[in-house]
Amino acid sequence: MTVETPTTGAGTGFEPRIVAFICNWCTYAAADLAGVSRLQMPPNTLNIRVMCSGRINPMLVIRAFSQGADGVLVSGCHMGDCHYITGNYYARRRLLTLKSVLTGIGIEPERFRVTWISAAEAQDYQRVITEIVENVKRLGPLTLFRDGRVVARETTGCAEG
Amino acid sequence: MRDYRSESARLREIVSGLLERGEVELVVAWTEGEDRPRTRETLIGKGREDLLRKVVWSPFCTTSTVTFLKKNKAALAGKRLGVVVKDCDLQALNVLLQEHFLKREDLVIIGVRCDGLAEADLFPRPEGAEVPITSDGGGVTVGKQRRAWEDSGFTTCLTCSYEDMKPDHVVGEYGRKKGKPEWGHLARLQALEPGKRREHYAALFESCIRCYACREVCPVCACVECAIDPGERAITPRTAPSVKACAPVWACRERSVSENAVYLLTRTMHMAGRCVRCGWCERACPVGLPLMEILDLSNDAVRRVYRYEVGRDPADPPFLASYAETDPDDKGAGH
Ligand code: SF4
Ligand code: SF4
């Protein structure tokens, strides 16, 4: 997975690339509803549908950042509403621990968000996406993982050193 | 004052008793030899009087017997084992027991009450095996050479707070008050601007040479197949070619900030609720990276935000395999 960041340099032209892992049962449905309701929001997200927020291994988030994402969202069902009963409880503990680590190394908290949005809350989805994109635009591209070298092109190995 | 010669004698009694009565087949304990006071982990079986004579407990038993168990897991599987542990080793052992890496009923745990460790290199080699090793609240003494705990080379021991865990047998008594966990180094870093922090950690990531010494030496970094290092992937004759070809490689071996960060961040997350803060990874790193600066980011969250005590009891649920309804939510931009 390589996320090509449509960066035209920090400043006015910067369009951040946000990777959003959203769960099939709630947030994906909310995104869908936002679409059919024609709610306006920035087109900077790459949505990845997963069956449950509990599926999100911290490595997926770390990898998204290292491959060029400027921001990451993980969003699932509200507590108590998980299709698999407790998936989001496990996700919450794991992802917020990850957030402490990422914030600790200097990745601004605005760049990694964990939210719970139900299938009916299309407007919340619109608000969260707009918020993230605006915040990350203000912060500029995430440069921590870009050391001027080309990193793995594919998940199956290094194409270039 | 603690006299480690008499405590070692008591330890030998317990170990030989266990082997004599057939309660265990093998015992993992520290032994010392010509290079006293240095010690090493040794596997001792029944009738090995030669090894039994050398069994020792002193502040120079710095290595982890649990790392030894982890490394020799395949060879030791199914055997009844005795294992001598310090407080931090016992904590790591509890983590592995919580994850069913080892079975509690296979083990007889002999706990030594530890006041802190000392680096053998800092002491001149004692003349003869009879030179006493003692310690008190202030420091360690080998013969005539005395050093304060603070200059004995093991800073992690100064802030170690584990005590009174429940092994099957206990050797020795605490001779000094245990410390308190210290987070000052983190607070200093976290006071910096995010940009400065990124620079600091990017420099750390950049210097890593991916030798994986930190993983090898860690008592709880015990997965058979490491997600990060494809070389470790368990491939059997029955593994299909498609599986080999498609097995995801999470971080390639290239040395770059990006790939090293994936390794070190993933390891930090894997250690959440498992790291016992023994400091061995930091000591083993050939580049001398301050690894606790990154591991403590998750350690701090686990202990301070979630109030989870790592490795207290083998029956506790692992941190990431449990949750509480009261776990905090993402506070959005502020955190
Ligand atoms: S301090 Fe390092 S070696 Fe010790 S348990 Fe934690 S990660 Fe492992
Ligand atoms: S021991 Fe140090 S250099 Fe080696 S992999 Fe770990 S952090 Fe990197």
Side-chain angles (χ1 to χ4, degrees):
Chain A
M1 177 185 74
T2 306
V3 185
E4 297 293 347
T5 308
T7 171
T8 47
T12 46
F14 169 61
E15 286 297 335
R17 181 53 72 99
I18 311 295
V19 174
F21 296 101
I22 53 185
C23 94
N24 181 52
W25 305 100
C26 292
T27 309
Y28 189 84
D32 212 20
L33 182 59
V36 293
S37 317
R38 299 182 173 244
L39 299 182
Q40 293 296 314
M41 56 193 135
N44 304 55
T45 49
L46 180 75
N47 284 349
I48 299 176
R49 173 161 61 157
V50 291
M51 291 311 279
C52 179
S53 53
R55 191 259 173 269
I56 302 302
N57 182 329
M59 278 173 107
L60 290 167
V61 177
I62 296 168
R63 198 73 183 135
F65 276 122
S66 86
Q67 292 294 291
D70 299 298
V72 174
L73 166 73
V74 178
S75 186
C77 310
H78 285 279
M79 293 301 138
D81 293 348
C82 175
H83 190 78
Y84 308 99
I85 319 297
T86 52
N88 52 0
Y89 281 106
Y90 290 103
R92 178 167 69 176
R93 178 171 273 203
R94 169 187 327 141
L95 295 171
L96 289 180
T97 307
L98 174 65
K99 182 157 178 162
S100 306
V101 174
L102 293 179
T103 316
I105 66 166
I107 294 181
E108 296 88 349
E110 291 89 335
R111 291 190 194 268
F112 178 47
R113 295 282 304 273
V114 181
T115 59
W116 319 114
I117 299 174
S118 83
E121 296 171 334
Q123 289 185 334
D124 282 348
Y125 180 76
Q126 178 198 30
R127 181 179 51 76
V128 165
I129 295 293
T130 315
E131 231 175 73
I132 296 182
V133 173
E134 277 175 6
N135 283 336
V136 175
K137 251 189 195 161
R138 181 170 48 76
L139 293 171
L142 177 64
T143 50
L144 174 63
F145 297 99
R146 313 226 183 112
D147 37 349
R149 297 212 264 164
V150 179
V151 293
R153 278 273 161 222
E154 319 238 336
T155 47
T156 45
C158 318
E160 296 163 57
Chain B
M1 188 165 78
R2 296 179 68 165
D3 173 11
Y4 291 98
R5 274 187 310 179
S6 64
E7 290 186 17
S8 300
R10 174 81 194 111
L11 176 60
R12 279 193 288 276
E13 254 168 53
I14 293 175
V15 171
S16 76
L18 287 174
L19 287 166
E20 282 309 313
R21 290 191 301 277
E23 281 180 48
V24 296
E25 291 171 60
L26 294 163
V27 176
V28 184
W30 296 281
T31 57
E32 64 183 10
E34 295 296 307
D35 53 353
R36 192 169 183 266
R38 206 175 269 288
T39 67
R40 62 197 54 68
E41 320 88 285
T42 308
L43 202 52
I44 302 163
K46 196 174 169 180
R48 289 302 300 271
E49 287 302 323
D50 54 331
L51 293 177
L52 201 54
R53 244 186 300 123
K54 296 181 183 162
V55 167
V56 68
W57 153 239
S58 76
F60 299 100
C61 296
T62 54
T63 50
S64 169
T65 43
V66 178
T67 304
F68 182 90
L69 282 185
K70 154 196 125 166
K71 293 217 162 184
N72 296 289
K73 186 192 176 204
L76 299 175
K79 297 220 162 54
R80 293 244 338 131
L81 287 176
V83 51
V84 186
V85 289
K86 305 183 287 288
D87 296 330
C88 54
D89 301 338
L90 181 51
Q91 214 192 7
L93 187 56
N94 283 342
V95 170
L96 295 185
L97 289 168
Q98 285 169 0
E99 295 167 354
H100 308 287
F101 183 88
L102 295 159
K103 288 208 200 74
R104 181 66 181 90
E105 56 273 23
D106 288 346
L107 299 176
V108 174
I109 301 174
I110 307 147
V112 289
R113 296 307 201 199
C114 178
D115 281 340
L117 299 174
E119 177 56 67
D121 282 350
L122 298 175
F123 291 78
R125 200 174 316 152
E127 308 281 329
E130 289 312 305
V131 174
I133 299 175
T134 59
S135 80
D136 52 37
V140 192
T141 312
V142 180
K144 290 196 197 71
Q145 172 75 19
R146 181 184 161 82
R147 287 188 89 92
W149 289 114
E150 286 74 16
D151 323 313
S152 295
F154 277 75
T155 42
T156 37
C157 298
L158 303 175
T159 56
C160 164
S161 60
Y162 320 128
E163 62 181 325
D164 283 337
M165 285 191 284
K166 305 272 180 291
D168 300 320
H169 301 271
V170 175
V171 173
E173 298 234 4
Y174 293 116
R176 89 193 246 253
K177 244 173 79 77
K178 284 275 176 171
K180 283 216 175 57
E182 228 261 89
W183 306 99
H185 58 304
L186 263 199
R188 274 191 297 283
L189 277 170
Q190 298 312 309
L192 299 173
E193 291 280 290
K196 285 266 172 294
R197 250 165 23 223
R198 275 203 302 277
E199 266 170 38
H200 177 86
Y201 282 101
L204 191 154
F205 295 146
E206 188 169 24
S207 316
C208 169
I209 56 170
R210 297 285 286 286
C211 64
Y212 300 128
C214 48
R215 182 190 70 185
E216 294 304 310
V217 78
C218 174
V220 295
C221 221
C223 306
V224 178
E225 203 176 293
C226 178
I228 282 292
D229 185 10
E232 293 282 309
R233 195 162 287 283
I235 291 185
T236 68
R238 270 192 268 157
T239 311
S242 56
V243 173
K244 286 184 222 165
C246 300
V249 175
W250 289 91
C252 64
R253 279 196 154 174
E254 181 189 85
R255 266 191 68 203
S256 64
V257 172
S258 151
E259 300 307 286
N260 292 352
V262 174
Y263 168 59
L264 289 169
L265 288 172
T266 301
R267 198 174 114 77
T268 302
M269 276 310 292
H270 187 36
M271 286 298 134
R274 308 176 71 241
C275 172
V276 299
R277 303 186 80 219
C278 63
W280 260 109
C281 48
E282 199 174 272
R283 246 167 264 135
C285 177
V287 188
L289 297 180
L291 290 175
M292 294 317 285
E293 283 181 4
I294 177 153
L295 284 157
D296 277 347
L297 293 173
S298 71
N299 286 336
D300 171 60
V302 166
R303 288 159 172 80
R304 193 177 44 79
V305 181
Y306 294 92
R307 308 237 159 258
Y308 181 87
E309 285 196 64
V310 177
R312 252 297 136 183
D313 190 308
D316 284 349
F319 175 70
L320 287 182
S322 56
Y323 65 85
E325 308 237 327
T326 51
D327 281 352
D329 258 313
D330 188 0
K331 289 193 248 359
H335 190 72

